[in-house]
Amino acid sequence: MVRVAAYQPGIYPRSEGVVAATRGLERGRTSPDDVTSAFRADLSELVDVQREAGLDIFSDGLLRWQDIFRPLVEASPGMDARTLVRWFDNNSFFRAPEVTGPISMAGSLPAVLKDDDAVPAPRVATLPSPYLFSRAAHTDLDRNTLMMDLTREILAPITKSLAARGSTVVHLQEPWLAYFGIDKKEDWDDLEKALSELRDAVGGAAEIVLQTYYGDVGSVVDRLRSLPVDAVGIDFVQTDLGELGSNWDVGLFAGILDGRSSPVESAEGTAEFAVRAAEALQPPALFLSANCDLEFLPQEIARRKVLRLGETAAIVKERLA
């Protein structure tokens, strides 16, 4: 029997109240306490919708994260965030990490990762994968050397701390590999080494999920399946099920809802596809979610997607029981 669980990692859209409060703070019209209250209200609402949906693992929605890198960059004296860069083919931008000195981390955990008391257990923590982090950065260093430095000095200590604080899933976002590709053997080998270090850091206290998205990974799925992670994420908006083989010995994170499209999918149709994927691939675990963050959607649409994810998961669990 396959284990089925649903959760929504990554950045969740902020409310108009949070946007107004943060803009007001910049203009001297609101106080830091007003901003904190607005963020707390958003987090409370997000927890409530995850409960209502019946999700199995809870996320904080990274509501205080400007992008997937910023808190990690700000925690490192040897990095800065300056240049605005388009986030793949979306109409949004991030400030690229820039290496300015030796990679290190000030303190044990960035402040935004300590504010998890309002999020029920079990919890998921979302981080950039080592490959994404090293490729998105601005640097003259060898990219694989940078990947290992980022892993050892930033990602591994943070991963260890998050697992110790109760995160049962460490979710690594990896759109770079799917969008731009990865061909060199040494790149694959060093990615494998980096992921092994993260797995060693959690020491079995949390599962490691590597989510690829924004591209078709059918041509490299065998290599992905061999990586030292507990589950591999597939963007099923971009990747055909028939490319993915069978008899998986690693879990499947199935991106079955479109996080960049406003229409809300049918629960019945989406569940039917998820069951077909489980039967075709036969993974030991099946995680259900959207194919990417929901940050590009209006908050009400994102809320409806989360509820639909819960409906879909309930059907899948019943049919695979």
Side-chain angles (χ1 to χ4, degrees):
M1 182 186 300
V2 62
R3 168 190 164 213
V4 180
Y7 69 92
Q8 179 54 49
I11 300 176
Y12 191 77
R14 300 172 179 178
S15 68
E16 292 182 4
V18 163
V19 173
T22 52
R23 287 177 178 170
L25 183 63
E26 294 171 358
R27 298 166 185 170
R29 297 174 182 172
T30 57
S31 69
D33 287 344
D34 294 328
V35 174
T36 297
S37 295
F39 273 114
R40 285 178 178 166
D42 265 25
L43 180 56
S44 177
E45 183 176 338
L46 175 57
V47 168
D48 287 346
V49 72
Q50 291 175 95
R51 279 202 179 104
E52 184 180 349
L55 300 192
D56 300 279
I57 306 168
F58 289 85
S59 168
D60 66 357
L62 307 186
L63 295 173
R64 288 183 174 272
W65 294 48
Q66 297 93 331
D67 56 59
I68 191 62
F69 309 108
R70 193 78 62 84
L72 311 185
V73 170
E74 292 175 348
S76 173
M79 302 189 79
D80 205 344
R82 296 173 181 168
T83 307
L84 281 174
V85 178
R86 184 178 295 277
W87 181 246
F88 296 91
D89 56 354
N90 301 289
N91 189 26
S92 65
F93 296 82
F94 70 99
R95 290 197 181 275
E98 183 174 341
V99 179
T100 58
I103 301 297
S104 63
M105 191 171 68
S108 60
L109 202 62
V112 294
L113 293 176
K114 296 178 181 178
D115 189 21
D116 54 11
D117 293 340
V119 182
R123 293 189 293 271
V124 56
T126 305
L127 296 170
S129 90
Y131 190 75
L132 169 65
F133 204 168
S134 64
R135 269 53 187 179
H138 286 185
T139 182
D140 294 327
L141 297 173
D142 173 79
R143 295 288 172 173
N144 289 349
T145 299
L146 176 61
M147 177 164 58
M148 299 311 299
D149 288 346
L150 290 169
T151 299
R152 290 168 181 156
E153 302 300 329
I154 296 179
L155 292 174
I158 288 176
T159 297
K160 182 176 181 179
S161 294
L162 289 170
R165 291 176 64 87
S167 292
T168 57
V169 174
V170 175
H171 186 96
L172 304 175
Q173 294 193 329
E174 186 41 79
W176 196 281
L177 188 157
Y179 191 88
F180 292 109
I182 173 173
D183 298 318
K184 295 180 180 178
K185 181 181 182 299
E186 55 265 34
D187 294 345
W188 280 110
D189 290 346
D190 283 342
L191 173 57
E192 183 171 347
K193 292 175 187 174
L195 293 172
S196 291
E197 296 209 9
L198 296 185
R199 195 165 193 174
D200 290 344
V202 301
E207 294 178 284
I208 304 289
V209 176
L210 179 71
Q211 182 194 9
T212 66
Y213 57 99
Y214 294 161
D216 182 346
V217 295
S219 63
V220 294
V221 70
D222 288 341
R223 191 68 179 87
L224 283 170
R225 287 167 54 183
S226 72
L227 293 173
V229 295
D230 296 286
V232 170
I234 302 295
D235 180 349
F236 279 111
V237 176
Q238 301 283 342
T239 303
D240 186 84
L241 176 59
E243 298 180 280
L244 302 180
S246 61
N247 297 316
W248 279 40
D249 54 7
V250 67
L252 169 66
F253 179 92
I256 51 175
L257 300 178
D258 192 345
R260 296 197 287 179
S261 176
S262 291
V264 179
E265 294 84 348
S266 154
E268 181 66 32
T270 308
E272 180 181 344
F273 174 82
V275 169
R276 192 163 74 248
E279 292 175 343
L281 306 183
Q282 299 181 323
L286 175 64
F287 298 101
L288 301 174
S289 192
N291 68 325
C292 64
D293 296 18
L294 300 180
E295 64 173 319
F296 304 118
L297 300 175
Q299 193 183 61
E300 177 55 29
I301 297 297
R303 179 180 182 278
R304 290 170 59 193
K305 293 265 186 177
V306 170
L307 293 174
R308 186 53 46 89
L309 173 61
E311 294 175 47
T312 301
I315 298 171
V316 173
K317 289 173 183 177
E318 181 179 356
R319 294 186 181 172
L320 292 179

